[in-house]
Amino acid sequence: MHILGRYLTAVGCAIGLAFAVAAPGYADDTPGGDAPPQATPFPDETVITAFYTKQNAEDFFLPGSPGVWFLSPSGLNCGMWNWGSFGCSGDVPGAPPGDNHIAWFNGNRAVHHGWTAAIQFPAGQAQRPLPPLSYVTYEETLCATTLEGNTYCAHGPFALFATPQGTWFKGWDDRRSYVCNSYGTCPAG
């Protein structure tokens, strides 16, 4: 009985040690598993809020239009409105011809573009630009402009990033979220 006790103690210690020193992995459904997280094109919001100039939301209000409205460096008409929804309209970099709205509306599971964004887009025409290296917040949404002329808007995990080279946005399908650039890089539905 004494040998059996030592054996069980040794087995128990080995199992405990195996769990104690197991290296954590990154859960991923890709073949090969343990893939590192994908790099994001979106700016770091902690850098924006620490080093950019915060603008007063009230300076961007329009009479008769809900929310905050500003012109992006590239001339997009951008806004943040009820419940933190946000979007831009105009010549969206990388969008197909005639596809001139991109937005996230509270309750949607992704940023989207095209006619579905256009029919929900509220009336509002910005009168003033958001200066470079500045940001504004409204109903828990943040929008910023970079020194390079890029425009970034986000509400939690929902984001868009308009650059001269294309527009990045957070998309979604029934399995996972993903980042798309200029509409052509989203996985086929």
Side-chain angles (χ1 to χ4, degrees):
M1 193 58 134
H2 184 63
I3 294 174
L4 181 60
R6 285 185 182 178
Y7 176 75
L8 291 176
T9 301
V11 169
C13 287
I15 292 171
L17 185 60
F19 283 113
V21 298
Y26 175 75
D28 189 13
D29 62 354
T30 58
D34 291 345
Q38 189 178 21
T40 176
F42 303 116
D44 183 346
E45 284 188 32
T46 58
V47 171
I48 291 171
T49 57
F51 299 107
Y52 287 31
T53 302
K54 185 174 184 177
Q55 303 289 316
N56 292 321
E58 296 81 23
D59 294 342
F60 295 91
F61 288 170
L62 297 175
S65 293
V68 170
W69 293 90
F70 65 92
L71 293 169
S72 76
S74 65
L76 292 173
N77 179 48
C78 298
M80 298 177 283
W81 51 91
N82 300 340
W83 306 300
S85 301
F86 64 86
C88 296
S89 65
D91 188 15
V92 179
D99 194 347
N100 59 2
H101 288 83
I102 184 166
W104 174 77
F105 301 95
N106 190 294
N108 289 168
R109 64 181 182 176
V111 173
H112 56 104
H113 58 89
W115 70 270
T116 59
I119 61 172
Q120 299 177 74
F121 214 84
Q125 178 56 56
Q127 302 300 308
R128 59 180 291 196
L130 184 60
L133 293 176
S134 66
Y135 72 99
V136 62
T137 59
Y138 182 75
E139 297 201 9
E140 299 182 28
T141 293
L142 176 142
C143 286
T145 55
T146 69
L147 189 59
E148 300 81 17
N150 303 326
T151 303
Y152 171 71
C153 289
H155 183 97
F158 309 105
L160 72 84
F161 186 48
T163 72
Q165 294 76 34
T167 302
W168 295 90
F169 60 97
K170 191 70 180 279
W172 179 265
D173 66 19
D174 289 333
R175 294 172 287 138
R176 59 182 163 59
S177 64
Y178 48 82
V179 175
C180 306
N181 182 17
S182 301
Y183 311 91
T185 63
C186 291

